[in-house]
């Protein structure tokens, strides 16, 4: 059994194949954290607590537990205002304006399987995959019931956590914060890894030793953001890809968040993650409840590589859903970088014709097909086909594209409204706004109030009509700005601060509706590139547009950073035109292909302008994609190079789960003179076995490939790439 309760010692112990997590109920009914790390056999772990009784200058509580200083204790679910001065998970205001709250244990339940979280994305699994624990707690003074939710994946080193609160008291309560995760770790000797950046430079890896005090990444933008991802990792100072201890924490949420650590005076670390309490509150009437999002946790004692592989497995197997989860996805060509807004039916058909000949599977019509939109200043919200551009109508275009043998996909930006749109002229109150206050635009657009059902219903009806009008098999759902002046004229004052979270719930509800009505649809999320690349969105779309930066060299860093948490199969990656539209760099066609092969693979260029040689290169690239797609989609990913540390090269590898094949990919960044062939050590092969290198036919032992390495042939010039495929003999 992966979750046990030791009645005598009052210890809950959660075991995955290689990790253990434990906490204890004290005599005073407090929950104290005992352990999270490599698997341990015993459950009698209360001796680990080491709580001082009366530390000088630390308030001491006296209760059934005896005198103890709360501020020193590892608390499983820390609450505010009760002499634990560290980052709390919960804060609320009662009708008397009091904000202290507590969490006392009442009861528990262990069951096979996992319940969905109402209205929120979450990992799932059946009774063979996962066991769950609910710990029922309460605050007797205000009547709040607190349910701590844990699930353990039986075959993966993954534990999830969340919390739900219910107001069972006699008066309304105002929830001011409810974080999803708090873990008190027993020391402070960690590096924290965060993924940061900006537009076109998302999820660059930053690693720094923890300092005393709080260090966080957050967003108060209503979306995860380009600036910071909500995933964080902690590892020991010496940990690298293959050695050392590493914890990973991924929040399954797409709105404003906070994730971070506090190193406190006793030289220990509290890790936390959840909805950002900044500008958040939630009114809980009697009997109302609030569900916090889920956090996925993993621990690896085999370095950051294994941490990432654990997360990749749970995301691929237990978060992503639907028809496209485990099958080859179409190779698409998107017209954005080819035409931007300047296209019509004829141009799209020309692209489709050449794309069909090159073996591409799907044409995606990007921004600019609706209302009067010819640039980014108008028409968001006017989801009517612009028949001046799409001459003959959408159905005609889609039918023609289908006749050429291509599927058809379409771009929407459902959450937005242009002030210059018919929809805005009719409903100026439908955007998020504060009456009387200036409405800040970004990219000339405002954000529709998706916390409102009437607004969602209207937009959904437009999307549904468009999707039902022709054979549309893919949607790119974009979101190109963040939220400001957050308010509306619908909710009462006490519920205004709920809009941030209600908005996110609205987005989730819309995507759920879309997938219910169109179960075969392939959905790709996007937010000005990768501003909403998170586990929340991956519950709805198996792929996300990684970044608007499609330059192969910039992508090395972006994809390396993204892979810290997210599987390669989720990364929207295309071969695009050169010089690249973000950096002006020219890279070889082959390198662009190899870098895009890491992700979903597709094209983002005007194929009609390519040379015959490049067009036949596309055929070869698609053949390569087909050959390696299963391995890339389902295999284990190993980072070998580090583009943040080396300007010489990057390299990575996919190894089949059964170790029968491996694909090594190498990109020479800047050519370095007077160095011999670059010898790269492979990882993850089966010891004692032999592998044939396909291109040369040479057979190597796994040991030589992993301990000495494989010689990359000499590549002449910057930005060239090489791909080596090995099959077990
Ligand atoms: C965003 C997306 C791009 C493209 C444009 C269209 O920037 O990331 O891929 O769809 O919007 O306006």
């Amino acid at each position: 059994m992966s979750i046990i309760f030791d009645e005598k010692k009052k210890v809950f112990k959660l075991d995955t194949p290689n990790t253990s997590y434990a906490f204890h109920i004290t005599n005073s009914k407090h929950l104290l954290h005992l352990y999270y790390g490599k698997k341990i056999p015993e459950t009698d772990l209360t001796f680990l607590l080491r709580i001082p009784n009366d530390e000088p200058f630390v308030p001491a509580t006296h209760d059934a537990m005896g005198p103890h200083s709360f501020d020193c204790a590892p608390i499983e679910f820390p609450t505010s205002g009760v002499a634990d001065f560290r980052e709390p998970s919960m804060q609320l205001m009662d009708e008397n304006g009091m904000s202290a709250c507590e969490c006392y244990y009442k009861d528990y339940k262990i069951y096979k399987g996992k319940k969905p979280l109402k209205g929120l994305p979450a990992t799932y699994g059946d009774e063979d995959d996962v066991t769950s624990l609910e710990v029922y707690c309460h605050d007797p003074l205000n009547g709040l019931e607190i349910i701590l939710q844990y699930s353990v994946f039986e075959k993966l080193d993954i534990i999830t956590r969340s919390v739900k609160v219910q107001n069972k008291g006699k008066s309304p309560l105002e929830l001011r914060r409810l974080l999803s995760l708090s873990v008190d770790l027993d020391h402070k000797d960690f590096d924290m890894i965060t993924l940061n950046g900006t537009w076109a430079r998302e999820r660059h890896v930053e690693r720094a030793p923890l300092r005393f005090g709080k260090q966080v990444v957050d967003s108060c933008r209503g979306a995860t953001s380009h600036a910071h991802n909500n995933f964080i990792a902690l590892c020991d100072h010496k940990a690298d890809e293959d050695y050392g201890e590493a914890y990973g924490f991924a929040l399954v949420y797409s709105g404003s968040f906070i994730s971070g650590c506090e190193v406190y005076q006793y030289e220990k670390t509290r890790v936390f993650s959840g909805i950002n309490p900044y500008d958040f509150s939630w009114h809980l009437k009697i009997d109302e409840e609030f569900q916090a999002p889920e956090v996925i946790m993993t621990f690896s004692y085999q370095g950051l590589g294994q941490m990432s592989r654990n997360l990749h497995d749970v995301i691929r197997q237990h978060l992503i859903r639907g028809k496209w989860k485990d099958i080859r996805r179409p190779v698409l060509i998107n017209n954005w970088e080819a035409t931007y807004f300047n296209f019509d039916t004829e141009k799209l058909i020309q692209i489709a014709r050449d794309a069909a000949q090159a073996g591409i599977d799907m044409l995606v019509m990007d921004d600019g097909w609706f209302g009067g939109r010819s640039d980014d200043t108008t028409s968001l919200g006017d989801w009517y086909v612009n028949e001046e551009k799409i001459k003959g109508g959408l159905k005609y275009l889609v039918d023609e594209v289908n006749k050429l043998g291509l599927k058809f996909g379409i771009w929407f930006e459902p959450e937005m409204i242009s002030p210059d749109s018919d929809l805005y002229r009719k409903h100026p109150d439908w955007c998020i706004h504060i009456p009387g206050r200036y409405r800040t635009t970004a990219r000339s657009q405002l954000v529709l109030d998706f916390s409102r059902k009437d607004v969602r219903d209207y937009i959904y009806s437009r999307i549904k009509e468009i999707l039902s009008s022709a054979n549309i098999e893919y949607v790119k759902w974009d979101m190109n700005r963040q939220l400001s002046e957050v308010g509306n004229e619908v909710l009462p004052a006490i519920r205004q601060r709920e809009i941030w979270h209600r908005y996110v719930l609205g987005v989730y509800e819309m995507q759920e509706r879309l997938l219910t009505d169109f179960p075969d649809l392939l959905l790709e999320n996007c937010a000005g590139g990768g501003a909403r690349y998170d586990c929340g969105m991956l519950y709805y779309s198996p792929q996300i547009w990684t970044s608007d930066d499609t330059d192969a060299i910039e992508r090395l860093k972006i994809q390396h950073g993204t892979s810290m948490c997210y599987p390669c199969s989720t990364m929207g990656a295309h071969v695009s035109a050169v010089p690249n539209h973000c950096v002006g760099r020219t890279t070889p066609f082959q390198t662009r292909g190899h870098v895009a092969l890491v992700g979903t693979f597709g094209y983002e260029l005007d194929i009609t302008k390519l040379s015959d040689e490049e067009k036949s290169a596309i055929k070869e690239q698609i053949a390569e994609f087909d050959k390696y797609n299963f391995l890339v989609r389902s295999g284990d990913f190993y980072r070998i190079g580090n583009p943040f540390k080396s300007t010489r090269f990057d390299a990575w590898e996919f190894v089949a789960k059964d170790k029968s094949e491996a694909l090594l990919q190498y990109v020479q960044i800047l050519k370095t003179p007077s160095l011999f062939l670059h010898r790269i050590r492979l990882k993850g092969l089966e010891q004692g076995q032999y592998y044939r290198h396909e291109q040369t036919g040479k057979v190597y032992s796994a040991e030589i490939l992993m301990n000495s390495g494989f010689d990359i042939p000499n590549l002449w010039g910057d930005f060239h790439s090489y791909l080596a495929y090995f099959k077990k003999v």
Side-chain angles (χ1 to χ4, degrees), residues 199 202 226 334 336-337 340-341 366-368 373 376 380 411-413 443 445 476 478-480 526-530 545 547-549 581 604:
W199 174 75
E202 295 93 336
H226 298 103
N334 179 305
W336 178 240
E337 285 189 44
Y340 297 104
F341 294 100
D366 210 278
D367 192 358
R373 190 153 165 104
D376 63 11
L380 292 168
W411 179 97
F412 280 101
E413 197 176 354
R443 212 188 186 216
Q445 63 199 56
K476 177 175 172 187
D478 211 340
M479 194 268 190
N480 281 323
C526 174
W545 184 230
S547 175
D548 279 346
D549 198 332
H581 77 153
E604 185 113 2

